[in-house]
Amino acid sequence: MRLRRSVTSCAKVTLCLLNLWVLCVILVVALGHWRVFDADLSLDRYDNSHLVVMRELNQEPGETQSEKGLSLNNKSGAVHENPIKMVPPPPELSPAQREVAERVSTMQQWCRKLRPRSVDISTVPAHRLSAIMVDRQRRLLFCQIPGVALNDWRRIFIYLTGKVNVTSHQKISAYDAHSKYGHLIKKLSDFKPSERKAILEDSLKVVFVRDPLERLVSNYQNKFVAKYSKYFHEAFGRKIIQKYRRNATAKALKEGSDVRFNEFVRFVLDTEHDSDAPLNEHWERYYKQCQPCLLNYDFIGKFETLVDDTREALSRAGVLDKLQAPYVADTFRNSEKTLKSLYQTVSASDLKKLWKIYYPDYNLFSYPYPEVLHNLLQQSFSDY
């Protein structure tokens, strides 16, 4: 009898412990989808997904991911029908041309991992294509990203229409490129859904990008530090100061012209996590604005090599002889010192959240983990 009671008691305890274990597993799985876990980042030079891509890029030419054991499965478990093969750029390419080819290859690999099956462009809502400029005559497409030579490329598109009486595209002011002559630029969203596929198939598709966190600083300086940006002071500055600054002065609340960088970062984070509205185009992600996995760009230029990349893109488009140098005017980049001075005002927690927002652009467009972020997070970890 005692033995039976002991066995019964042991079974009850075991069952109780088993139920607790199951409950813990359920809680962990459920909590794993909460945003509170999103900021849990390590101090590695690259996140794990980036390392996967780097392994893919380093595999032998012609060797598929399946042969290396790298899965291209989508969420539903369906394998991409055409495994990616690494084809090296032709040896006759110049170093700059090879660099562009490698950028495009990296983007294509990421896109095939993220979107294993192609999407019919005619089914894509027009508003998602509104940043794409189209020149049908010259079969040229360009994605507009504020802060990445946007004014220069708008001038180029306007000048190539032949409808503006100027001797050079640089004679068109930035203001006129957006207002007076803005109607001369056609966007992909202006065309009928049935026409978009043909446009994409027979056009050179160009996008220029910039280190995302360096661009964020540049647009902060132009929109919140610059005294001429009255619209951004009134539309965003006042709200940011009111929400994030304790004991703000009446002047600051009225003018909204002295937004601090850490306040601006908190605003970006909260807008992304708590609002259904998209981020403003000046700090929106590139992949959201330019749809790289839908358009499959042929040419990816970078602000860091802006002059050479612009010349090469215009040459490939066959319009270089129709324009006069300099082709671009804006080549200013913020120094590491400037980036550090601003980002060190941001808490480590917010820096990690900021990385979570922008790391897809770093991966898609071949940017390494930002040095300033690595150093600041490493320092905060050491201080802790």
Side-chain angles (χ1 to χ4, degrees), residues 7 21 26-27 31 35 75 89 105 108 117 126 130 175 187 194 224 263 265 269 271 273 305 307 313 321 336 362 374:
V7 172
W21 181 81
I26 294 173
L27 287 173
L31 289 173
R35 280 179 173 159
K75 294 181 180 179
S105 177
Q108 290 173 343
R117 288 188 173 85
S130 60
Y175 177 81
K187 297 179 290 186
S194 58
F224 295 103
E263 296 170 339
V265 168
L269 295 176
T271 304
H273 288 122
T305 50
V307 174
D321 61 342
E336 285 293 319
Y362 277 89
H374 171 73

Side-chain angles (χ1 to χ4, degrees), residues 31-284:
L31 289 173
H33 296 285
W34 288 9
R35 280 179 173 159
V36 70
F37 283 84
D38 286 353
D40 186 19
L41 297 174
S42 68
L43 293 175
D44 293 339
R45 299 292 290 168
Y46 297 93
D47 63 293
N48 292 336
S49 58
H50 202 143
L51 288 173
V52 170
V53 169
M54 299 313 292
R55 286 199 297 269
E56 292 170 3
L57 291 175
N58 290 329
Q59 69 186 36
E60 292 299 321
E63 188 176 20
T64 66
Q65 272 73 6
S66 58
E67 293 168 337
K68 290 286 285 186
L70 295 172
S71 173
L72 290 179
N73 291 8
N74 62 10
K75 294 181 180 179
S76 65
V79 180
H80 194 280
E81 297 163 356
N82 299 306
I84 306 164
K85 293 184 179 181
M86 284 300 298
V87 179
E92 65 272 13
L93 295 181
S94 68
Q97 291 171 329
R98 289 177 65 86
E99 174 65 26
V100 171
E102 289 170 1
R103 294 171 193 165
V104 172
S105 177
T106 300
M107 178 200 68
Q108 290 173 343
Q109 289 188 70
W110 264 110
C111 288
R112 290 181 183 179
K113 287 176 66 66
L114 298 172
R115 190 185 299 278
R117 288 188 173 85
S118 61
V119 175
D120 186 348
I121 192 67
S122 65
T123 65
V124 177
H127 72 271
R128 294 179 62 185
L129 307 172
S130 60
I132 316 300
M133 298 191 298
V134 178
D135 185 331
R136 286 298 285 139
Q137 181 179 350
R138 292 164 184 83
R139 298 179 180 179
L140 177 63
L141 268 71
F142 182 87
C143 182
Q144 307 176 82
I145 298 178
V148 192
L150 171 58
N151 292 336
D152 289 308
W153 275 90
R154 287 185 68 89
R155 292 184 180 107
I156 290 171
F157 268 68
I158 292 169
Y159 180 78
L160 289 175
T161 65
K163 298 180 180 180
V164 179
N165 187 23
V166 291
T167 57
S168 167
H169 68 284
Q170 291 291 0
K171 298 293 184 180
I172 303 172
S173 70
Y175 177 81
D176 286 346
H178 288 270
S179 57
K180 184 177 180 180
Y181 302 125
H183 67 282
L184 297 176
I185 295 177
K186 293 293 184 180
K187 297 179 290 186
L188 190 56
S189 56
D190 295 332
F191 294 87
K192 296 178 181 179
S194 58
E195 296 177 296
R196 295 171 190 161
K197 184 176 181 180
I199 293 173
L200 292 179
E201 288 178 348
D202 69 357
S203 298
L204 176 72
K205 301 177 289 295
V206 178
V207 60
F208 270 68
V209 292
R210 181 178 188 171
D211 183 288
L213 292 189
E214 194 269 327
R215 171 182 177 255
L216 190 68
V217 166
S218 178
N219 282 332
Y220 161 75
Q221 293 169 330
N222 290 334
K223 303 307 176 185
F224 295 103
V225 177
K227 298 304 180 184
Y228 58 77
S229 296
K230 298 298 183 182
Y231 168 77
F232 280 83
H233 298 164
E234 297 174 1
F236 296 97
R238 293 172 179 174
K239 297 177 182 178
I240 292 174
I241 293 172
Q242 183 178 24
K243 184 174 182 179
Y244 300 108
R245 187 180 306 177
R246 293 182 179 180
N247 303 319
T249 65
K251 180 180 179 181
L253 291 171
K254 179 182 179 181
E255 298 181 357
S257 59
D258 66 337
V259 172
R260 298 164 186 166
F261 186 67
N262 61 334
E263 296 170 339
F264 169 62
V265 168
R266 290 183 63 190
F267 166 72
V268 172
L269 295 176
D270 288 348
T271 304
E272 166 61 18
H273 288 122
D274 301 330
S275 174
D276 293 331
L279 296 178
N280 180 272
E281 61 180 357
H282 291 84
W283 44 89
E284 179 61 283

